[in-house]
Amino acid sequence: MPKGRLPRALTLTTLAALTLALTGCEADGGGPVAPSPSAAAQRPSRAYKDGHLTFTLLSLRCGLTAVSGSHSEAQPDGQFCAVRLRVENRDPEFHTYVVARQRLEGVAGRRGRADTFAMAVRRQHDQVEIGGHDLVEVEIWYDVPRDAKVTGVRVSGDRDRAGFMDSSPVEHAPEGVLIPMKPLVGW
């Protein structure tokens, strides 16, 4: 074999691997590894403020039949809805984001609140301290009835004091702020 040339079998294997990587398919033909085309159809919301925290709804998906994590998996009683949320603290002080305050709109009662087991499977914290001028992106998992008509997420920020020299609570919406979004079905 001439110096500097790869064997034909190695060249074809490398070409096949590169083709699979560029097309977003797994080597075993198991399907796409890249986000589905429907992911591009859902745009993030505009920013909504409540308390010191500013929220952007990045995605809302319902009709999910399971949740899995690094150590466990679970099936819903109804269907899972997954929310991806950006939470930003534009204030110079620390403020706390609390999962229990974030509710699905269109789902009555406790079913509109985060599912603690699904959240544990995904290793998502119940609350997060967000530093001054910092942000986090979080997932929230809900187990809702199969026939639920989800129309968005009602977000609720902190209830800390308004400022360093002001002991009154920061301005906030008592019932939270609605971020409307039509959920996509499945991944």
Side-chain angles (χ1 to χ4, degrees):
M1 171 171 56
K3 190 174 185 177
R5 293 190 62 185
L6 295 172
R8 181 172 169 78
L10 181 59
T11 304
L12 291 176
T13 303
T14 304
L15 181 60
L18 182 60
T19 302
L20 289 172
L22 292 175
T23 59
C25 292
E26 295 175 0
D28 64 0
V33 293
S36 65
S38 64
Q42 196 169 37
R43 289 204 162 118
S45 72
R46 68 173 179 81
Y48 290 80
K49 187 174 190 319
D50 190 59
H52 290 103
L53 303 179
T54 302
F55 299 87
T56 304
L57 182 54
L58 302 175
S59 68
L60 172 58
R61 295 184 179 274
C62 289
L64 305 173
T65 58
V67 60
S68 64
S70 61
H71 63 291
S72 184
E73 62 184 37
Q75 284 72 43
D77 291 331
Q79 66 172 318
F80 279 129
C81 290
V83 169
R84 185 119 182 110
L85 193 63
R86 178 178 298 137
V87 186
E88 184 175 0
N89 175 12
R90 296 179 179 173
D91 192 66
E93 295 184 33
F94 278 86
H95 296 288
T96 304
Y97 155 79
V98 180
V99 172
R101 293 184 183 150
Q102 319 315 316
R103 301 180 318 275
L104 278 184
E105 188 72 9
V107 182
R110 294 200 46 80
R111 297 300 293 269
R113 302 220 181 254
D115 184 82
T116 55
F117 187 70
M119 294 291 288
V121 168
R122 293 298 294 176
R123 295 187 185 261
Q124 295 295 303
H125 292 284
D126 293 333
Q127 62 184 35
V128 178
E129 290 279 325
I130 305 174
H133 303 291
D134 207 353
L135 64 84
V136 296
E137 288 188 5
V138 296
E139 290 180 5
I140 311 172
W141 286 77
Y142 301 87
D143 186 350
V144 301
R146 291 184 197 277
D147 61 350
K149 304 291 185 220
V150 177
T151 58
V153 179
R154 191 165 290 276
V155 296
S156 192
D158 68 302
R159 303 296 182 254
D160 296 345
R161 62 183 186 190
F164 178 70
M165 299 295 287
D166 186 353
S167 60
S168 62
V170 67
E171 186 178 319
H172 64 275
E175 297 298 316
V177 177
L178 175 63
I179 303 178
M181 184 177 282
K182 181 179 179 183
L184 293 178
V185 177
W187 289 115

